[in-house]
């Protein structure tokens, strides 16, 4: 069963960055957000005056995307681990 994580009342880029660093989310993993939350992140980037980054949006090597299954509630995120092959 998927786990949904709350990191704050409103998901922002600084909160995502801090979560990735604090919880040592691996580069290549995916953070899935509710579509509304992802739109707010895009709006945050646009209002900062920074150019819109390439799609998919990455933060510290972690891919930030919308939840295609639309199961992630607003204000929460889901970590999808990157399956790494055994060596």
């Amino acid at each position: 069963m998927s786990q949904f994580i709350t990191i704050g009342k409103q998901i922002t880029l600084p909160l995502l960055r801090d979560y990735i660093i604090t919880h040592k989310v691996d580069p290549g993993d995916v953070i899935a957000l509710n579509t509304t939350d992802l739109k707010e992140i895009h709006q945050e980037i646009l209002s900062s005056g920074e150019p819109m980054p390439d799609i998919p949006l990455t933060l510290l090597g972690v891919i930030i995307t919308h939840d295609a299954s639309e199961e992630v509630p607003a204000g929460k995120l889901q970590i999808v681990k990157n399956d790494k092959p055994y060596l």
Side-chain angles (χ1 to χ4, degrees):
M1 181 158 291
S2 299
Q3 179 181 6
F4 303 123
I5 303 161
T6 303
I7 62 171
K9 259 188 163 173
Q10 180 180 2
I11 296 176
T12 63
L13 284 173
L15 281 175
L16 282 173
R17 182 197 63 230
D18 292 348
Y19 183 86
I20 290 168
I21 293 169
T22 303
H23 293 87
K24 298 179 178 140
V25 179
D26 295 323
D29 288 349
V30 174
I31 292 181
L33 299 175
N34 178 284
T35 302
T36 303
D37 290 331
L38 187 60
K39 286 179 183 177
E40 290 178 12
I41 293 290
H42 287 164
Q43 188 59 40
E44 182 181 351
I45 293 168
L46 289 173
S47 65
S48 73
E50 295 291 322
M52 187 56 115
D54 292 334
I55 303 295
L57 175 64
T58 59
L59 186 60
L60 301 172
V62 177
I63 299 168
I64 311 297
T65 190
H66 77 282
D67 170 38
S69 68
E70 297 186 14
E71 293 179 3
V72 177
K76 298 187 184 258
L77 61 87
Q78 179 181 30
I79 306 292
V80 180
K81 298 302 279 179
N82 181 19
D83 293 329
K84 297 179 177 77
Y86 293 104
L87 299 176

